[in-house]
Structures are given as C-alpha cells and as structure tokens.
Amino acid sequence: MIDSIGLDGGKVFLTYSPASGKNCVVAIRDSAGGSGRLAADVSLAETASVGFAPGIAGGGGGVAPGIAGGAGIAPGIAGGAAGINGDFISGSPARRSEPKYVYAPDSCITWSGSIGRSHFEATSVHCG
C-alpha cells in the first residue's frame, strides 16, 4: 500500500506493484449494505514533476490502525470481508468499488475516491 484516506463510511486505498508498474485504487465501505455512490479512479497526472510529491489535498492519509503489511513487494491491507493485496482485491461488490488501474512507472498520478457524499482527490502525486 502506498496511501489511504478515510472518508465518511469507509476508506480509499492506493497500491503500487513494482512488478507490473501499475497503481491500483479501490474504495471500500466500513460495512456491507451501505448506500450511495462508491467509486475510485486513478490516472496519469497531466503535468508530471518526477521526484516531487506535493502531498495530498484534503489532509490526512498514511497508515491507519488495522492495516497490516504483506510479504515481499505486494503490501496487503486486512479489511475483514474485503481487502487488497497487490493487484488482488476481494470482497462483495456492494462493499467495494471496481478497482481502477494505471500503468505509471516514473510518472505522477492523480487518484480519487467517493463513498456516499464524501469525496477525495489528490492530483499530481506519488511521482517517480
């Protein structure tokens, strides 16, 4: 896992696989059966500044309690009924968004997620 951000009703997670060169973003609800929008997205940033990572707009982030690292190059996130381990995502569709991927080695990315009315977006981050 590279990053995560807590939103009302869940979290949005960002992972990167050095083996594939892909970033993956997924939004996961705190509990199954929630309602409202559930979405995640990741893309190459329009303007890239390799080696510069300005941070995440909207505050917060980082590793929160309950997140366990996996082995090797595929960090994992223990999430009860849903979880992420590298490019593997489990859990019911009602609990998580469709995962979104972008091939982005040596590039800056823009990533975002929504759970209900709560939304987050970070632009031109995690460069290099």
Side-chain angles (χ1 to χ4, degrees):
M1 181 186 65
I2 293 177
D3 220 333
S4 68
I5 188 77
L7 298 177
D8 290 340
K11 274 195 169 180
V12 181
F13 296 97
L14 170 67
T15 64
Y16 178 74
S17 170
S20 70
K22 291 182 181 180
N23 287 88
C24 176
V25 175
V26 66
I28 300 177
R29 292 186 201 277
D30 287 336
S31 61
S35 62
R37 182 176 182 194
L38 186 61
D41 198 22
V42 63
S43 62
L44 292 175
E46 291 187 28
T47 56
S49 221
V50 175
F52 175 69
I56 298 173
V63 176
I67 297 175
I73 61 170
I77 301 166
I84 305 169
N85 191 353
D87 288 340
F88 174 77
I89 298 178
S90 65
S92 68
R95 177 124 189 246
R96 64 162 172 82
S97 68
E98 283 295 316
K100 300 294 181 166
Y101 300 92
V102 67
Y103 179 74
D106 303 317
S107 302
C108 297
I109 62 165
T110 293
W111 66 291
S112 63
S114 297
I115 299 174
R117 293 182 182 190
S118 188
H119 179 76
F120 162 81
E121 182 174 284
T123 59
S124 215
V125 295
H126 299 294
C127 303

